[in-house]
Amino acid sequence: DERRITVPAPQEAVQITATDAFFFTYFGKDSPIIPIGVFTTGMVLMSGLVSFNFANQKMQQIFMRARVVTQGVTVAAMMTSLATQERQKALGLVR
């Protein structure tokens, strides 16, 4: 019974642009952007629900609009993160 071990070939040096470096840093695999966005959206939503309890219609409207904005930014960050991770895979920087 012969066991084989596969050793990965050494990778070539990859040149990345400043734009790629920015996106890899802030939207890469372990980026804190998405959890921060989810937390912010949740906090705005909870604040809006609390304002319902006090029957303050103006504040309710402000919080619900803010929730839509924060949720949109979070979804945009998710899509950007997905594209960034695909770019990293294409360059062979991550598996």
Side-chain angles (χ1 to χ4, degrees):
D1 187 28
E2 184 178 312
R3 294 180 186 230
R4 294 182 184 207
I5 298 174
T6 305
V7 178
Q11 294 181 348
E12 296 178 22
V14 176
Q15 295 289 331
I16 59 172
T17 65
T19 304
D20 281 340
F22 172 81
F23 280 106
F24 294 169
T25 301
Y26 293 105
F27 293 97
K29 184 177 180 187
D30 297 325
S31 168
I33 297 289
I34 295 170
I36 289 170
V38 170
F39 176 76
T40 304
T41 301
M43 291 306 296
V44 170
L45 177 61
M46 292 304 295
S47 299
L49 293 175
V50 167
S51 71
F52 278 133
N53 196 24
F54 294 114
N56 185 346
Q57 288 186 345
K58 185 173 183 176
M59 286 305 291
Q60 291 172 12
Q61 197 61 243
I62 289 171
F63 278 117
M64 289 303 111
R65 287 180 181 163
R67 180 199 54 84
V68 169
V69 170
T70 58
Q71 191 171 350
V73 169
T74 302
V75 169
M78 288 176 180
M79 295 296 105
T80 304
S81 179
L82 182 65
T84 300
Q85 290 177 36
E86 289 300 317
R87 174 88 171 126
Q88 286 175 319
K89 285 179 186 176
L91 291 174
L93 298 175
V94 296
R95 291 181 186 191

